[in-house]
């Protein structure tokens, strides 16, 4: 039995998310179909986590186990030949027999991209949230520091989130302007459903002066279901890296 | 009569190029349809030049003349409401009555993007040429300097190019690596059909050590129809800016 660790890049636009769904196509299903074609039999792939419909990934990590003795190129070049153009295996590695993409993940890096411009940009629209009103990115960057450390993120998860533990650690968060884009990078040990999109949502409200920077601390301290009001749209989000 | 100058961004993937064609949809046609909806009548739009099928633009410039007395927002926000999501007017300005987007253009900046990676990247495939073999970008950057200055570019144009003058001036050309991308920026006073793509083609052959750097000078000096052998694919090319 071999355990194979894959690093996968995808454009989430056409998919109902990573996880197999009754309605709509998923990245997981495309991956399992491609792997089945290479392995000649059904296989289950386990990812480091789900991504929502429309969310992209540059470095999603997943694993599967197989009895077949194939070279790694079969799981990269070989699998890629069976994948649509918006999904591609970037790396295939043999892992230890007990490796588990979700249980062993030590951290993740998510990037959220905001287009700051008076009109939409065709070149970046599938990969960003377009906000016309100017955002005060320095105030956002300062306010974002309140997220760093261990907190109960109950106030920043989706009503549909079924995670048992809501305490997560944020290692770092930055807000940077790069030409017409505002880039928010968040690194942490784990994320609840919609958590990054809700963190970005409140930062945008702060950047628009609709909320006070102190509200982040208040919501984190209360640790209750009081939700952060705004959820940033999925297309601006990209899972950049998962580490072990 | 008013003359309006538009700066237009588009993703060229779905289009047969800028210019109206018998077969396939063009950016020009989409623009004229949207303008007609706003102006309530047919109008002809004149661009700074054509872009080929699949080529993108961040700053294509075009003009049209109209008797209608509408505010500039009608030609940006108003026109954008009638455009598909892969085309958007970025700027609308009133120009002098004799302004002509093609005749008055003083220079253009084109960018060509190459993905240097062992496997395809879904996130950048519509905007780059994927080359697996490693390119020697320092040799390419040095060789590219031969293009700078006034030359007869007959050896770097398409067989279908019908331009009367083939002498063009290249102001600058750079080859830079940014993570997994190789970015080639070219600025010049004008470009023949396929010229940037053929310039990139020979630079890639030099980067792969299939051609000697001195071949650029040889082709430029001969000034005949001997073609640069490789034409880079259109999806890596983007018209960044036109200036007047």
């Amino acid at each position: 039995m071999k355990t194979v660790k894959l690093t996968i890049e995808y454009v989430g636009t056409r998919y109902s998310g990573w996880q197999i769904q009754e309605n709509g196509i998923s990245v997981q299903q495309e991956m399992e179909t491609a792997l089945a074609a290479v392995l000649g039999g059904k296989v289950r792939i386990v990812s480091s986590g789900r991504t929502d419909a429309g969310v992209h990934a540059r470095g999603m990590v997943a694993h599967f186990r197989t009895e077949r003795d194939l070279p790694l190129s079969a799981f990269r070049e070989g699998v890629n030949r069976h994948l649509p153009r918006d999904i591609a295996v970037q790396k295939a590695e043999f892992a230890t027999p007990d490796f588990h993409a979700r249980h062993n993940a030590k951290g993740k890096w998510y990037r959220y991209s905001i287009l700051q411009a008076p009109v939409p940009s065709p070149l970046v629209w599938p990969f960003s949230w377009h906000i016309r009103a100017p955002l005060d990115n320095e105030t956002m960057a300062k306010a974002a520091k309140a997220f760093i450390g261990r907190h109960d993120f109950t106030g920043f998860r989706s009503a549909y989130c079924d995670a048992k533990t809501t305490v997560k650690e944020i290692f770092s968060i930055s807000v940077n302007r790069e030409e017409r884009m505002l880039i928010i990078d968040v690194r942490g040990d784990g994320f609840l459903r919609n958590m990054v999109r809700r963190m970005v949502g409140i930062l945008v409200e702060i950047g628009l002066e609709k909320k006070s920077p102190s509200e982040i601390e208040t919501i984190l301290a209360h640790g209750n279901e009081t939700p952060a009001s705004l959820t940033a749209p999925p297309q601006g989000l990209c899972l950049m890296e998962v580490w072990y």
Side-chain angles (χ1 to χ4, degrees), chain A:
Chain A
M1 180 78 91
K2 290 228 168 117
T3 299
V4 181
K5 177 188 171 194
L6 300 178
T7 305
I8 307 155
E9 181 178 317
Y10 52 86
V11 175
T13 315
R14 289 200 308 130
Y15 299 98
S16 56
W18 167 269
Q19 200 181 35
I20 289 176
Q21 307 262 328
E22 297 227 343
N23 307 313
I25 48 164
S26 63
V27 180
Q28 183 187 2
Q29 186 184 315
E30 295 282 3
M31 283 300 305
E32 291 187 358
T33 304
L35 279 167
V38 168
L39 292 165
K42 227 181 152 180
V43 68
R44 170 95 334 181
I45 187 167
V46 177
S47 74
S48 63
R50 304 169 191 177
T51 52
D52 288 335
V55 172
H56 317 291
R58 182 151 166 191
M60 170 60 98
V61 175
H63 80 268
F64 65 92
R65 306 191 206 280
T66 178
E67 301 287 356
R68 293 289 307 277
D69 189 25
L70 294 173
L72 285 174
S73 61
F75 305 125
R76 192 171 74 165
E77 283 76 4
V79 169
N80 283 343
R81 272 193 284 276
H82 295 277
L83 284 170
R85 208 147 43 162
D86 49 13
I87 306 177
V89 175
Q90 296 297 309
K91 218 194 279 184
E93 302 158 275
F94 290 121
T96 52
D98 59 344
F99 174 79
H100 192 285
R102 188 167 72 251
H103 299 156
N104 299 156
K106 289 217 174 87
K108 285 178 190 170
W109 165 23
Y110 276 101
R111 169 168 287 186
Y112 199 94
S113 303
I114 295 170
L115 170 69
Q116 277 270 272
V119 282
S121 162
L123 288 163
V124 304
W125 78 256
F127 307 105
S128 62
W129 181 14
H130 176 212
I131 299 180
R132 283 179 174 80
L135 293 162
D136 179 347
N137 58 300
E138 289 182 20
T139 299
M140 289 166 73
K142 267 187 230 161
K145 287 185 183 161
F147 284 121
I148 296 171
R150 279 189 90 71
H151 303 283
D152 184 340
F153 281 88
T154 303
F156 290 94
R157 68 169 171 169
S158 155
Y160 301 99
C161 177
D162 53 8
K164 280 163 228 146
T165 167
T166 53
V167 174
K168 300 287 171 189
E169 181 170 357
I170 297 298
F171 304 136
S172 70
I173 178 165
S174 63
V175 182
N176 292 302
R177 196 173 284 273
E178 292 179 12
E179 284 190 77
R180 55 184 182 168
M181 304 301 292
L182 212 65
I183 306 292
I184 303 176
D185 284 311
V186 191
R187 290 174 174 82
D189 67 351
F191 293 87
L192 301 166
R193 189 156 178 200
N194 279 9
M195 182 171 142
V196 180
R197 289 165 56 193
R198 290 189 151 231
M199 289 167 69
V200 169
I202 198 165
L203 286 174
V204 163
E205 289 180 302
I206 290 165
L208 293 170
E209 291 179 33
K210 286 184 181 170
K211 279 201 170 158
S212 142
S214 65
E215 290 211 36
I216 293 175
E217 279 180 32
T218 308
I219 298 172
L220 289 171
H222 282 264
N224 60 21
E225 300 286 339
T226 313
S229 53
L230 192 64
T231 303
Q235 79 277 4
L237 189 61
C238 186
L239 172 58
M240 299 292 282
E241 197 185 347
V242 185
W243 59 94
Y244 293 87

